[in-house]
Amino acid sequence: MSVGLEVSHLRVVFDEYVAVDDVSFRVAPGESFGIVGESGSGKSTILRAICGLNPIGAGRVALVGEGTLPLPGSKPFRRLVQMVFQDPYGSLHPRQTVDRILAEPLAIHGIGDAERRIERALDEVGLGTGFRFRYPHQLSGGQRQRVAIARALILEPQILLLDEPTSALDASVQAEVLNLMEDLRRRRHLTFVMVSHDLAVVTHMCERLMVMAGGRAVETLAADELSSGRVMSEYTRTLMEASAGFRRQAAG
Amino acid sequence: MRSSSVSWHDWLMSDRPASRRQASLGRAYAGWRTFARNRLAMAGLLTILALVVVAALADVIAPHSPYEGSLSTTRLLPPSWTFPFGTDDQGRDILSRIIHGSRITLFIVVLVAILAAPIGLLVGTVAGYAGGYVDAALMRVTDIFLAFPRLILALAFVAALGPGIENAVIAIAITSWPPYARIARAETLTIRRTDYIAAVKLAGASPFRIVLRHIMPLCVSSVIVRVTLDMAGIILTAAGLGFLGLGAQPPMPEWGALIANGRNYVLDQWWVAAAPGAAIFIVSLAFNLLGDGLRDALDPRADK
Amino acid sequence: MRNAPVGPLLDVDDLRIAFPNREGAYVEAVRGVSFQLGRERLGVVGESGSGKSQTGRAILGLTPPQGRVTARRLAFDGIDLLTCPERQRRDLRGGRIGMVLQDPQFSLNPVMTIGEQIVETLQAHERVSNREARERALAMLAAVQIDRPERVYRLHPHQVSGGMGQRAMIAMMLVADPDLLIADEPTSALDVTVQLQVLKILDRLVSERGMGLIFISHDLRLVSSFCDRILVMYAGRVVEEIPSGRLNEAQHPYTRGLLDCLPRLGESRHPLPVLQRDPAWAR
């Protein structure tokens, strides 16, 4: 069953610095939700706060769906919510093989049948058996990111948090990984919360999105509203124009 | 014969390992090849291996008994074919004493490494990962141990526990672990903030599991390098204790004690002190070279 | 304005750069790149492993020591870069050829103030008094649209934002008035709005001074809007050379694949067209 997410009045403070200030949003079960902003906007901090990597100063994070749902930070919560990190070169343990990296979450939760699950996970992300015992330094950026996705999915979560999953990849590899993620989402009925600075990627992958700046939510709108330029905030418009790219001044 | 050795190499260097064993052996093999390219490091390694062999076969190799000597006939003889390093003031063959003394040296060095390194590693990783009060408390304890000059503190322990080689080992180990704790802590502070540790936390791992199975393996190589480089200092400290009569007791042929013995005769019968001194020098140098080579080979940046 | 040089500003013919692999054998990262550059803007586009950065560094002589650089010809304004003495190479670097790198946090010296670094670059190439060097450094900081140059002059790189650091880097590289600027992903580490600012500044300065520019990037669309001509590199080779105005007439399947594969705002293509790599491109 799909599970959604509700974030209410979230506030995250590091020492004196307010990284996230009173942010609220709701992600329906099975929906793909994007969070866009530039560096320092607090978008990655929100994701890390949701899964408990950053302490929450105020506000609430709760799962939405049928039945009793685990609370954030508990072990059952970990099985439902997983994350794919931005930097493929930093998200895999340098001294562990792909096999060990994938086996670890299973071992932690005492899930048996590891062999079959690992092979299936690799298969799902398009990596053959030859990759199973390689070390991360023997993999390309795109391959590492696939392993990271396989790791996130091996516990069969319902919600996937994606922190700029393709920013560090080459253009041609980006498209493959984006397609892979879309495909997985469709097959497993996952809920996505995706953070990016790239408007094109977010509008491609997400149905609704929230624009952030300086720790605050500037605007929440549907992806096709953004695509067609029906935005309300000046900041969003500036972002859109900047994303359109550089226009060279006429010579003279 | 030739074709099977080629296939071993290919199997180990394969880009598509088919099992955990192949992957970790392949990795070890690649590290070995990097190490082996360093001539000086290999020289150090071979010297240490020679030391191990000499210590193991001391009974067989030594030409004479290290404990028996004749005061009337063989006292303080200069180096000759029968006694390659000469004899000491009790008529004992110095070469045989050095050969048997290598066992003691090895014993001390290995025991100190086995005791001090794990303590340092554990204290450092726990302090680095836990942070806060635990970190502060552990680091203050480390600082206290670091503040004492090693030989003085070892002296104090030996004086309290009584002279003898086991107590010397304990004393040296107690004063050796703080630098390893510092190194392990520094590495842990960096590792702690990485995404792969965050990922394992997200998978629900307990702090124990994270420190033991994910952080410690990454700190081990730095600590190993440091331990190897420290071995020279450990040998010298043990020799110092022996020199002062607080380590190995006579008639044990510990190298420091041998030098102490030769101190009285250094002007006319220089060989009594020079030979064990040279032995200490060579072994310390070998450990230093080995440690340098290990550091280059185990450098994590080489993995990228 | 400058005198028109005799011959091309930069002449590269069959440049090859090889590095030793784990087994000690040499593997070529750049395999026969050839191009000429006048006082124009050339974009070099490729992904990681294409050899584009190594090409830029070879021109400056910044190839890592274990690399091996060979070419039929590698000349800057008539000077043969392969055989010229190291001293002359040093004079060229920062003096007549400047290079702007990706992340100012890593390319600016963290223990020197920004002003000191600019002055150092200037004084390495021209005999100027300290006072004149300082004035020119301040003028340069103003030219890159830094609001209060005297304030930024005294700051260290970690005290300024990425965009400002990159502008400082540009100032440092242009202060000695080079003929050629090589920019290696100068805006990739910056936020999108800041990217535009920095690119506008670069655009203006390059036009004003009549410099040659080599713009190395992975972003084909950015390069096509900024440069006159584009070289597309794949696996160490140039697979296509095309004027940027005619990019949509690109012939090589890799170029076409690169153009198509990224999501575009306003378009909805599910799934995205994926680049089908043909091993023939790498030959």
Side-chain angles (χ1 to χ4, degrees):
Chain A
M1 257 337 302
S2 291
V3 176
L5 191 68
E6 169 125 37
V7 173
S8 329
H9 303 291
L10 185 66
R11 188 177 158 87
V12 180
V13 181
F14 296 118
D15 295 333
E16 303 277 306
Y17 175 65
V18 181
V20 177
D21 191 7
D22 194 22
V23 168
S24 306
F25 62 92
R26 190 173 198 279
V27 183
E31 186 182 15
S32 174
F33 186 78
I35 305 180
V36 203
E38 301 191 292
S39 46
S41 57
K43 56 194 194 302
S44 294
T45 313
I46 292 183
L47 279 194
R48 297 176 93 97
I50 291 174
C51 56
L53 291 173
N54 286 341
I56 296 179
R60 215 173 63 103
V61 171
L63 294 176
V64 168
E66 295 174 5
T68 46
L69 294 162
L71 291 174
S74 64
K75 216 163 174 186
F77 183 86
R78 301 260 178 255
R79 285 196 67 173
L80 284 181
V81 180
Q82 280 293 322
M83 185 148 141
V84 176
F85 296 85
Q86 172 177 2
D87 181 11
Y89 295 91
S91 67
L92 302 181
H93 195 293
R95 296 283 168 90
Q96 293 178 357
T97 56
V98 169
D99 175 72
R100 167 87 199 272
I101 291 172
L102 294 179
E104 187 72 0
L106 297 175
I108 292 172
H109 289 265
I111 299 173
D113 201 15
E115 277 290 314
R116 189 183 58 85
R117 286 173 191 269
I118 292 174
E119 285 186 1
R120 207 183 62 159
L122 284 174
D123 193 43
E124 250 189 330
V125 297
L127 292 174
T129 44
F131 288 92
R132 188 167 160 191
F133 295 102
R134 287 197 195 182
Y135 286 95
H137 64 87
Q138 294 170 302
L139 302 172
S140 72
Q143 290 162 347
R144 290 185 207 208
Q145 206 61 323
R146 286 171 193 263
V147 172
I149 294 173
R151 174 181 59 191
L153 292 178
I154 202 156
L155 288 178
E156 305 196 346
Q158 287 300 317
I159 299 181
L160 212 50
L161 306 174
L162 304 157
D163 190 357
E164 308 240 28
T166 56
S167 315
L169 301 175
D170 282 331
S172 57
V173 180
Q174 269 202 40
E176 289 173 14
V177 174
L178 289 175
N179 288 346
L180 172 68
M181 292 193 304
E182 260 197 326
D183 186 45
L184 288 168
R185 177 177 159 234
R186 203 181 36 243
R187 271 197 276 135
R188 289 178 172 227
H189 307 291
L190 296 172
T191 308
F192 272 10
V193 181
M194 181 171 195
V195 156
S196 182
H197 65 279
D198 189 332
L199 281 182
V201 166
V202 167
T203 48
H204 175 84
M205 293 287 296
C206 304
E207 293 148 4
R208 275 194 317 134
L209 57 110
M210 179 172 77
V211 178
M212 286 197 61
R216 296 241 166 113
V218 167
E219 179 172 9
T220 308
L221 68 170
D224 44 16
E225 284 175 350
L226 186 71
S227 303
S228 53
R230 285 174 285 152
V231 301
M232 285 197 280
S233 150
E234 264 315 299
Y235 177 74
T236 315
R237 193 167 295 284
T238 321
L239 216 53
M240 276 186 65
E241 284 168 4
S243 298
F246 178 77
R247 291 278 169 268
R248 192 161 159 192
Q249 304 301 332
Chain B
M1 222 55 249
R2 165 96 64 88
S3 62
S4 77
S5 71
V6 164
S7 73
W8 262 116
H9 170 88
D10 287 343
W11 186 78
L12 285 167
M13 300 287 275
S14 156
D15 256 352
R16 312 193 139 236
S19 69
R20 286 175 201 109
R21 215 166 41 108
Q22 188 179 0
S24 40
L25 285 179
R27 191 199 180 88
Y29 180 64
W32 163 253
R33 283 171 55 97
T34 316
F35 177 84
R37 259 178 248 149
N38 184 340
R39 297 263 176 87
L40 284 178
M42 283 300 282
L45 178 66
L46 290 173
T47 312
I48 306 295
L49 288 178
L51 179 73
V52 172
V53 166
V54 163
L57 302 176
D59 293 323
V60 177
I61 297 179
H64 303 272
S65 159
Y67 299 112
E68 290 164 12
S70 165
L71 283 172
S72 54
T73 53
T74 55
R75 188 169 183 277
L76 288 175
L77 293 178
S80 64
W81 281 116
T82 356
F83 302 108
F85 286 167
T87 56
D88 65 0
D89 58 320
Q90 301 213 9
R92 297 173 291 201
D93 173 30
I94 292 180
L95 175 62
S96 306
R97 280 175 73 71
I98 290 181
I99 289 175
H100 280 267
S102 68
R103 284 188 171 172
I104 302 172
T105 302
L106 219 52
F107 174 79
I108 293 175
V109 142
V110 166
L111 232 57
V112 169
I114 290 180
L115 286 176
I119 296 176
L121 192 59
L122 191 61
V123 168
T125 48
V126 167
Y129 191 75
Y133 290 122
V134 177
D135 182 17
L138 286 174
M139 280 301 110
R140 294 299 78 76
V141 170
T142 313
D143 285 342
I144 290 174
F145 277 92
L146 260 179
F148 287 91
R150 185 192 274 184
L151 191 56
I152 307 290
L153 197 54
L155 273 177
F157 272 105
V158 164
L161 300 170
I165 198 172
E166 301 84 8
N167 294 336
V169 165
I170 294 175
I172 300 175
I174 285 176
T175 56
S176 297
W177 67 265
Y180 313 143
R182 278 254 175 107
I183 291 174
R185 177 177 177 271
E187 295 246 9
T188 306
L189 287 179
T190 314
I191 296 169
R192 181 169 85 155
R193 287 188 271 127
T194 57
D195 281 345
Y196 52 84
I197 296 296
V200 137
K201 258 194 244 179
L202 276 190
S206 69
F208 293 114
R209 195 184 178 102
I210 294 176
V211 167
L212 224 58
R213 310 195 62 188
H214 296 271
I215 295 185
M216 268 200 198
L218 290 170
C219 299
V220 162
S221 31
S222 304
V223 171
I224 287 181
V225 168
R226 184 61 198 259
V227 167
T228 314
L229 290 172
D230 272 357
M231 297 252 172
I234 293 171
I235 294 174
L236 292 170
T237 307
L241 287 176
F243 186 84
L244 294 171
L246 292 173
Q249 295 298 294
M252 292 187 83
E254 196 263 319
W255 291 349
L258 292 184
I259 299 182
N261 214 12
R263 192 181 42 168
N264 300 326
Y265 310 97
V266 77
L267 289 176
D268 297 317
Q269 289 89 19
W270 51 271
W271 56 87
V272 184
I280 292 179
F281 169 76
I282 290 174
V283 172
S284 302
L285 183 62
F287 271 117
N288 273 326
L289 292 174
L290 178 63
D292 272 346
L294 279 180
R295 179 176 44 212
D296 291 340
L298 290 175
D299 187 346
R301 269 173 284 139
D303 286 346
K304 274 267 159 95
Chain C
M1 249 3 263
R2 297 154 200 281
N3 302 324
V6 178
L9 189 58
L10 187 65
D11 188 2
V12 179
D13 190 0
D14 197 34
L15 176 66
R16 288 172 187 270
I17 306 174
F19 290 96
N21 66 5
R22 256 197 326 177
E23 321 251 324
Y26 272 85
V27 175
E28 282 190 330
V30 175
R31 303 182 296 145
V33 167
S34 306
F35 65 91
Q36 290 189 342
L37 181 75
R39 290 198 183 274
E40 55 178 321
R41 304 178 188 195
L42 179 71
V44 179
V45 178
E47 304 184 300
S48 44
S50 58
K52 59 189 195 301
S53 283
Q54 287 301 334
T55 304
R57 279 160 201 258
I59 296 171
L60 277 162
L62 291 179
T63 311
Q66 67 268 28
R68 211 171 48 185
V69 178
T70 50
R72 263 203 297 265
R73 187 156 169 74
L74 182 64
F76 172 75
D77 200 14
I79 304 168
D80 187 346
L81 296 175
L82 290 174
T83 56
C84 72
E86 177 59 24
R87 202 205 157 75
Q88 193 176 19
R89 216 64 196 282
R90 267 210 311 273
D91 284 342
L92 289 176
R93 272 181 224 142
R96 296 191 64 194
I97 312 179
M99 185 159 189
V100 177
L101 297 162
Q102 181 172 350
D103 196 334
Q105 293 291 346
F106 295 119
S107 52
L108 288 174
N109 188 331
V111 297
M112 287 169 74
T113 63
I114 290 177
E116 278 171 7
Q117 295 185 48
I118 301 178
V119 162
E120 183 187 41
T121 308
L122 183 57
Q123 291 186 319
H125 296 282
E126 285 183 40
R127 294 198 158 286
V128 286
S129 67
N130 286 345
R131 196 153 60 99
E132 187 184 338
R134 185 189 143 89
E135 279 170 15
R136 276 176 67 172
L138 287 171
M140 206 60 229
L141 285 174
V144 293
Q145 292 186 338
I146 287 181
D147 267 335
R148 282 179 296 161
E150 309 81 26
R151 182 184 152 262
V152 173
Y153 188 98
R154 281 178 278 125
L155 291 178
H156 285 86
H158 69 271
Q159 292 174 297
V160 299
S161 68
M164 198 174 287
Q166 201 62 320
R167 282 182 277 167
M169 176 108 228
I170 292 173
M172 187 166 105
M173 282 299 142
L174 293 184
V175 72
D177 218 10
D179 297 307
L180 172 66
L181 184 66
I182 302 177
D184 192 350
E185 308 262 20
T187 53
S188 308
L190 304 175
D191 281 330
V192 140
T193 46
V194 178
Q195 274 190 25
L196 269 195
Q197 272 176 18
V198 172
L199 287 172
K200 282 194 186 130
I201 292 167
L202 205 53
D203 183 26
R204 185 172 47 85
L205 287 172
V206 168
S207 305
E208 272 175 12
R209 290 158 181 245
M211 286 164 34
L213 173 71
I214 299 181
F215 195 110
I216 301 174
S217 177
H218 64 278
D219 189 335
L220 183 52
R221 247 176 270 132
L222 170 63
V223 165
S224 69
S225 63
F226 201 80
C227 301
D228 308 312
R229 246 193 325 143
I230 302 175
L231 290 179
V232 180
M233 284 187 70
Y234 180 79
R237 289 237 152 103
V238 175
V239 295
E240 183 141 27
E241 186 173 338
I242 190 169
S244 48
R246 301 228 301 264
L247 191 58
N248 51 353
E249 294 166 33
Q251 298 292 322
H252 198 281
Y254 178 65
T255 318
R256 298 223 64 89
L258 267 191
L259 277 175
D260 288 337
C261 68
L262 279 180
R264 286 195 279 269
L265 199 56
E267 288 182 16
S268 175
R269 295 173 293 156
H270 294 261
L272 292 166
V274 167
L275 192 66
Q276 297 298 341
R277 285 166 207 277
D278 186 346
W281 300 343
R283 253 181 262 123

